[in-house]
Amino acid sequence: MPKILLVDDEPHILELAKMYLEREGFQVETVGNGKDALAGMSDRPDLVILDLMLPDTDGFEVCRQIRSKSNVPVLMLTARKDDVDKIVGLEMGADDYITKPFNPRELVARVKAVLRRSQAGPAPGSVIEMGKLRIDLSRHEVTAAGQAVTLRTKEFALLAALAQNQG
């Protein structure tokens, strides 16, 4: 069951969004400020829904701090409708941006879409680095400590699958 951290200072927004998301089978933790949002990251949510206008810390700053430590998907849900705010939010690392007022069913659909994309794994052309091991997924090349490693197709596929699903 995917975990969602929902960050908003408006209790009715938290209640409405939580109800719709839980109805779809998501586990939802709600917090009302940026400090608690950053503390909630220790629970390793699968997705963060983040308001920009928070009482203690600006949502842009919360997003920046999340991005400095994690690649968890971030969906911004905010009353800030200016194109500049949307562009800044997306450039800071948000994966999607929804303005208030919002349709709760659209929120659920966007959450599902962002999670689908994030769970698909790295896009072709990406590189996975683990210590001295480097795996280039698009070129099907592996190096260990700078030395090329020759692998059969199945061996490469297995190594890539393990690297993409660590743990």
Side-chain angles (χ1 to χ4, degrees):
M1 184 164 42
K3 291 187 294 186
I4 296 174
L5 177 60
L6 177 57
V7 185
D8 202 301
D9 62 333
E10 299 178 52
H12 69 280
I13 296 288
L14 292 173
E15 184 180 326
L16 178 67
K18 182 177 182 174
M19 180 182 70
Y20 272 83
L21 290 164
E22 286 180 340
R23 189 181 302 164
E24 292 295 321
F26 295 105
Q27 179 183 344
V28 181
E29 178 186 346
T30 61
V31 296
N33 60 59
K35 178 183 171 200
D36 292 342
L38 294 171
M41 290 303 295
S42 64
D43 292 337
R44 303 179 69 80
D46 297 298
L47 181 130
V48 177
I49 299 174
L50 179 62
D51 185 14
L52 290 179
M53 296 183 289
L54 298 170
D56 62 343
T57 307
D58 183 86
F60 288 126
E61 177 60 21
V62 173
C63 184
R64 189 190 65 71
Q65 289 187 36
I66 289 172
R67 275 292 159 257
S68 72
K69 298 174 186 158
S70 173
N71 284 325
V72 65
V74 175
L75 190 153
M76 291 189 171
L77 176 64
T78 181
R80 294 173 78 164
K81 297 178 181 186
D82 291 341
D83 287 343
V84 172
D85 291 323
K86 292 177 187 178
I87 292 165
V88 169
L90 293 168
E91 286 181 347
M92 290 194 78
D95 296 277
D96 204 350
Y97 194 105
I98 302 175
T99 57
K100 298 175 186 175
F102 65 99
N103 181 326
R105 288 179 282 160
E106 179 184 0
L107 174 66
V108 170
R110 286 178 182 261
V111 164
K112 288 178 178 179
V114 168
L115 285 172
R116 248 190 332 269
R117 286 192 305 270
S118 71
Q119 293 169 351
S126 64
V127 174
I128 300 172
E129 293 191 37
M130 299 168 26
K132 295 181 180 181
L133 184 66
R134 185 176 190 277
I135 306 166
D136 188 326
L137 297 174
S138 65
R139 294 180 170 194
H140 289 260
E141 294 177 349
V142 177
T143 57
Q147 300 294 319
V149 177
T150 304
L151 297 175
R152 294 186 176 125
T153 304
K154 281 282 189 196
E155 292 170 330
F156 178 85
L158 179 60
L159 179 63
L162 291 171
Q164 291 173 344
N165 298 288
Q166 294 179 30

